[in-house]
C-alpha cells in the first residue's frame, strides 16, 4: 500500500530533495541539481516566489521507504497573466510502479481542487529560470545540472493518468569550429552590426564587473521572455536570488553585453563551462569539496553550457545576435572549447533556433510539458 504525506519538516524536505539522487545513483546520465538551491526552493523564508505562489510538496511511502516525490505550485501571477486556472507540478520522481505515480498525482490534483484550479500542468518550477519539462527524448545523454533527468517510464505513467502534451522544448548540442569560414563569417556580420547600429561590447573582466549590468540584463530577460510559455516577470528579490545562484559559475570569457551609445544593454549572452561532472562527483553539494570541483571544471573543459541569451525586440533580425555569438565563440576558441549545449528552447521559437544556423548541430533532447483538465462538479 502506498501512502502520500505532505512535507512539513526540514528533515522531510531534505528527504524530498535527496530522493532522485538515490533513485538514479547508478545512472551515468543523471546529474544532481544544486542541493542547497533545491532546499531553498521549498522554503518560504528563502524563496521570494512564495509572495505570489502557494506551494506544497509530497512524499510517497511504501513499507516505510520513500518511493516517490512531487511538488505542487500555484502561481497566482502566472494564472493572472495568462488567464488560466492551473496548478503546476514540479520536481516529480517515482519508481516504476503505477500505484505510486497515481497516488502522487492524486495528491497534486486534490491540492489543485482545494485551491480552485481547473487544470494541472508541468513539470514547471516557480519561474521560467527553474527546471522545466519532462524528458521524452535523449535518455542516453547526460543531463545539464539545471535540467531534469527522468526515465522513459515517467511519460507512460502520465499518459495513463490522462495527461497529454501541451508544449515541448528542444535542446541542441553544437559543434564549435576552431577555424575556417564559419567563425570568420560570424565575425564579419558582427563587425558590420557593431558599426551600422553604433554598438559596442562592454569590457567585463571580473565577477565584480558584472554588477553594473545585472539590473539591465534581467530587465531585458523580462522583456525578451515575456511571450514565452508560462513566463512571469521576475521581481528584484528573485533577480538577486538567481544572480547569487549562477554568477559564481560564470566565466568572463563566455559573457557578452552588447551596449548602445547610451550604455543601454540591447543584447547579452551568458555561458559557463560544463559543470555536470563536478555535480555528479559531489552529488549536487557545493560544500565541503563540491565548489573546488566546480572551479576545476571552469578551466578544464571542452564544453559550454548556454545559460541565457536575449536581444531587445527592436534589434532582432539586425545581426545583433551575431555580436553575441562572435564574442562567445572567440572565447571558446581561445580556451579550446569544442562544443556547446543549449538549455531547453520552445520547439516553436524559430528566432532562437535560427541563431545556430551557421553551426553543425544535433537536436539531441526533447522535453514535454503535460496538461490535464480536472473534472468539475
Amino acid at each position: 500500500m502506498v501512502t502520500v504525506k505532505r512535507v512539513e519538516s526540514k528533515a522531510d524536505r531534505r528527504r524530498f530533495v535527496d530522493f532522485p539522487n538515490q533513485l538514479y545513483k547508478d545512472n551515468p546520465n543523471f546529474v544532481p541539481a544544486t542541493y542547497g538551491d533545491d532546499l531553498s526552493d521549498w522554503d518560504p523564508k528563502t524563496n521570494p516566489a512564495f509572495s505570489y505562489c502557494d506551494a506544497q510538496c509530497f512524499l510517497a511511502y511504501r513499507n516505510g521507504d520513500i518511493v516517490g516525490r512531487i511538488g505542487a505550485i500555484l502561481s497566482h501571477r502566472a494564472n493572472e497573466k495568462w488567464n488560466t486556472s492551473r496548478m503546476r507540478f514540479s520536481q516529480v520522481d517515482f519508481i516504476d510502479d503505477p500505484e505510486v505515480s497515481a497516488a502522487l498525482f492524486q495528491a497534486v490534483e486534490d491540492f489543485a481542487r482545494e485551491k480552485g484550479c481547473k487544470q494541472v500542468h508541468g513539470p514547471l518550477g516557480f519561474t521560467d529560470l527553474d527546471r522545466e519539462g519532462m524528458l521524452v527524448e535523449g535518455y542516453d545523454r547526460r543531463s545539464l545540472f539545471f535540467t531534469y533527468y527522468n526515465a522513459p517510464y515517467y511519460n507512460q505513467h502520465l499518459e495513463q493518468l490522462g495527461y497529454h502534451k501541451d508544449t515541448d522544448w528542444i535542446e541542441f548540442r553544437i559543434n564549435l569550429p576552431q577555424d575556417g569560414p564559419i567563425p570568420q563569417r560570424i565575425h564579419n556580420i558582427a563587425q558590420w552590426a557593431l558599426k551600422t547600429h553604433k554598438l559596442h561590447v562592454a569590457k567585463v573582466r571580473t565577477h565584480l564587473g558584472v554588477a553594473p549590468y545585472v539590473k539591465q540584463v534581467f530587465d531585458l530577460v523580462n522583456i525578451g521572455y515575456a511571450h514565452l510559455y508560462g513566463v512571469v516577470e521576475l521581481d528584484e528579490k528573485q533577480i538577486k536570488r538567481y544572480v547569487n545562484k549562477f554568477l559564481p559559475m560564470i566565466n568572463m570569457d563566455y559573457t557578452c553585453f552588447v551596449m548602445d551609445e547610451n550604455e543601454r544593454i540591447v543584447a547579452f549572452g551568458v555561458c559557463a563551462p560544463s559543470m555536470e561532472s563536478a555535480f555528479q562527483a559531489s552529488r549536487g553539494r557545493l560544500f565541503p569539496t563540491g565548489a573546488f570541483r566546480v572551479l576545476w571544471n571552469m578551466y578544464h573543459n571542452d564544453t559550454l553550457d548556454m545559460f541565457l541569451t536575449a536581444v531587445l525586440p527592436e534589434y532582432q533580425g539586425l545581426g545583433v545576435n551575431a555580436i553575441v555569438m562572435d564574442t562567445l565563440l572567440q572565447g571558446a576558441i581561445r580556451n579550446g572549447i569544442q562544443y556547446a549545449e543549449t538549455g531547453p528552447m520552445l520547439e516553436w521559437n524559430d528566432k532562437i533556433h535560427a541563431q545556430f544556423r551557421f553551426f553543425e548541430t544535433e537536436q539531441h533532447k526533447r522535453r514535454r510539458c503535460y496538461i490535464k483538465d480536472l473534472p468539475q462538479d
Side-chain angles (χ1 to χ4, degrees):
M1 180 179 176
V2 176
T3 302
V4 176
K5 299 179 180 179
R6 295 192 178 200
V7 171
E8 305 288 358
S9 67
K10 291 183 178 179
D12 280 345
R13 194 181 302 149
R14 288 193 290 269
R15 296 184 185 101
F16 178 90
V17 169
D18 196 50
F19 176 71
N21 298 334
Q22 303 302 320
L23 185 64
Y24 292 108
K25 63 182 179 181
D26 297 321
N27 190 315
N29 296 313
F30 169 75
V31 177
T34 311
Y35 183 80
D37 288 335
D38 271 14
L39 283 175
S40 176
D41 279 349
W42 298 101
D43 188 346
K45 296 179 181 178
T46 57
N47 187 351
F50 274 90
S51 66
Y52 61 86
C53 291
D54 297 325
Q56 179 65 57
C57 42
F58 303 88
L59 285 169
Y61 293 84
R62 176 185 282 152
N63 300 325
D65 295 325
I66 298 174
V67 290
R69 68 166 191 169
I70 196 168
I73 302 169
L74 172 55
S75 174
H76 296 284
R77 190 175 290 176
N79 281 331
E80 290 169 5
K81 175 180 176 179
W82 298 102
N83 192 29
T84 54
S85 179
R86 294 175 174 176
M87 178 71 69
R88 301 177 170 196
F89 69 86
S90 183
Q91 296 188 24
V92 58
D93 292 286
F94 47 85
I95 65 171
D96 188 6
D97 186 326
E99 183 183 9
V100 175
S101 56
L104 287 169
F105 279 92
Q106 188 63 57
V108 170
E109 291 169 17
D110 288 344
F111 186 63
R113 292 187 185 93
E114 177 187 320
K115 296 294 184 178
C117 295
K118 298 179 180 178
Q119 294 176 308
V120 174
H121 71 150
L124 293 164
F126 288 90
T127 81
D128 188 57
L129 297 188
D130 296 334
R131 287 164 290 164
E132 55 191 12
M134 186 165 287
L135 195 65
V136 296
E137 295 174 7
Y139 306 108
D140 60 340
R141 301 300 186 93
R142 189 169 65 174
S143 63
L144 305 180
F145 80 90
F146 56 90
T147 61
Y148 287 119
Y149 182 84
N150 59 266
Y153 65 79
Y154 283 39
N155 299 283
Q156 300 162 10
H157 286 227
L158 261 75
E159 291 169 3
Q160 291 170 359
L161 292 169
Y163 288 80
H164 59 87
K165 174 184 173 179
D166 199 32
T167 195
D168 276 6
W169 295 269
I170 57 177
E171 299 174 44
F172 292 101
R173 182 172 174 83
I174 304 166
N175 288 337
L176 300 179
Q178 302 300 296
D179 52 33
I182 291 178
Q184 188 60 51
R185 184 178 181 186
I186 294 173
H187 181 71
N188 291 342
I189 296 172
Q191 291 301 305
W192 173 86
L194 285 166
K195 183 177 179 180
T196 301
H197 307 300
K198 299 180 180 180
L199 304 173
H200 62 277
V201 175
K203 294 182 179 179
V204 181
R205 304 191 185 281
T206 67
H207 288 80
L208 290 176
V210 173
Y213 303 100
V214 167
K215 185 179 186 306
Q216 286 197 63
V217 163
F218 280 94
D219 285 345
L220 181 48
V221 168
N222 283 333
I223 294 170
Y225 288 35
H227 66 293
L228 300 180
Y229 183 88
V231 171
V232 294
E233 183 174 326
L234 299 172
D235 60 34
E236 290 187 12
K237 290 183 179 180
Q238 289 175 302
I239 290 170
K240 182 178 180 180
R241 184 170 184 257
Y242 287 114
V243 169
N244 291 338
K245 178 177 180 178
F246 288 108
L247 184 59
M249 303 177 190
I250 292 172
N251 184 315
M252 294 306 110
D253 282 342
Y254 316 116
T255 302
C256 176
F257 304 130
V258 183
M259 319 297 293
D260 68 9
E261 292 180 294
N262 299 313
E263 296 301 311
R264 178 184 63 150
I265 289 182
V266 301
F268 77 91
V270 178
C271 303
S274 171
M275 304 293 172
E276 279 64 57
S277 61
F279 276 78
Q280 285 178 318
S282 65
R283 297 180 62 201
R285 291 163 169 80
L286 294 180
F287 301 101
T289 61
F292 294 106
R293 292 190 176 100
V294 168
L295 184 63
W296 191 90
N297 272 36
M298 289 183 71
Y299 298 99
H300 302 82
N301 222 308
D302 67 352
T303 303
L304 286 181
D305 290 345
M306 303 186 73
F307 287 169
L308 288 173
T309 182
V311 180
L312 273 177
E314 58 264 39
Y315 281 90
Q316 293 175 5
L318 301 178
V320 175
N321 64 311
I323 303 172
V324 176
M325 298 303 293
D326 180 50
T327 303
L328 300 179
L329 181 57
Q330 294 305 315
I333 291 172
R334 285 195 302 273
N335 294 295
I337 298 288
Q338 301 176 51
Y339 309 99
E341 291 217 27
T342 72
M345 303 174 293
L346 286 160
E347 61 181 346
W348 49 260
N349 196 349
D350 294 335
K351 288 183 179 179
I352 292 295
H353 305 167
Q355 67 183 335
F356 308 120
R357 65 188 183 277
F358 296 118
F359 301 99
E360 179 186 341
T361 63
E362 177 192 7
Q363 192 260 295
H364 65 315
K365 297 175 192 170
R366 178 180 293 268
R367 301 178 182 280
R368 182 155 297 164
C369 183
Y370 285 93
I371 194 165
K372 179 180 179 179
D373 295 328
L374 298 179
Q376 302 298 306
D377 296 331

